[in-house]
Amino acid sequence: MRGARSARQWGWRWRRNPLRRRDDVFEAWLLLLVWIAFGVGGTFAGLMTARAADESFSRLRDDRHAIHAVLVDSTRSGSSAARGADYDHVRATVRWTTPDGSSHTGRALVKAGHKAGSDVVIWMTAQGRLTTAPPSTGATAAAVGLLGVGAALALGGLGFAVGGFARWWLDRRRYGRLTREWERLGPQWGHKTS
């Protein structure tokens, strides 16, 4: 069976064929558009989303700056159940001096386990409001990557959903046409033999 041709022909919807329907050609173009939307559109959406997220994180890092402050009250270490990198900061009252010499007091996130009077680092926005530290470079890179991949997959998923719906609609149309043809031609084949 070396010379036998496979039953499945690639690109059969594009070739001239007496059994090819207009719906088959439409479905072929639809599939091509879905794959282009997934490949090119998904890549473009992912890159644009990643770029916008990176710019947003850059503005966030530029807007925040670290200053030194003094703890007003002692801070306790977190409970043993809450140990870890995410739980090693507590909200505490701090006092700091601005460059113009005025003294301010407020509550900020500081590392746990310091005594009153300890020097701590707090973060402020350009407008002078207390805030949290900006995300690290590694966290920013991970977030940018995840947002880009998520946008690409979302656009690709939307394209596949639209393509799937269109193929479902085409199949229903084909089945309806087949049913009508069978109702018309079926009685001619339905003679009984005894």
Side-chain angles (χ1 to χ4, degrees), residues 141-157:
V144 165
L146 286 174
L147 287 170
V149 168
L153 291 176
L155 184 71

Side-chain angles (χ1 to χ4, degrees), residues 39-180:
V40 176
T43 302
F44 181 74
L47 290 174
M48 295 308 293
T49 301
R51 182 174 175 225
D54 190 40
E55 288 174 1
S56 175
F57 284 124
S58 292
R59 280 194 306 272
L60 189 67
R61 279 193 302 273
D62 292 343
D63 182 54
R64 296 178 182 187
H65 59 280
I67 61 170
H68 290 279
V70 176
L71 270 176
V72 174
D73 299 321
S74 297
T75 59
R76 292 185 299 161
S77 295
S79 67
S80 60
R83 293 217 186 261
D86 294 339
Y87 302 106
D88 64 347
H89 286 74
V90 294
R91 192 161 292 281
T93 305
V94 293
R95 185 175 47 247
W96 70 95
T97 306
T98 58
D100 65 2
S102 60
S103 181
H104 296 276
T105 304
R107 292 185 59 79
L109 280 177
V110 297
K111 274 197 165 260
H114 291 289
K115 294 182 180 178
S118 298
D119 188 37
V120 293
V121 174
I122 61 172
W123 291 86
M124 297 195 79
T125 64
Q127 294 81 21
R129 291 191 312 263
L130 290 173
T131 188
T132 58
S136 66
T137 306
T140 298
V144 165
L146 286 174
L147 287 170
V149 168
L153 291 176
L155 184 71
L158 179 65
F160 277 122
V162 168
F165 176 76
R167 289 184 76 185
W168 171 80
W169 179 77
L170 283 172
D171 285 342
R172 283 185 51 95
R173 194 171 140 178
R174 287 179 195 138
Y175 293 144
R177 195 175 299 145
L178 179 65
T179 301
R180 286 189 301 277

Side-chain angles (χ1 to χ4, degrees), residues 14 27-46 151-153 155-160 163:
W14 301 98
E27 185 177 11
W29 281 106
L30 177 72
L31 288 173
L32 180 65
L33 289 175
V34 165
W35 281 106
I36 288 173
F38 183 70
V40 176
T43 302
F44 181 74
L153 291 176
L155 184 71
L158 179 65
F160 277 122

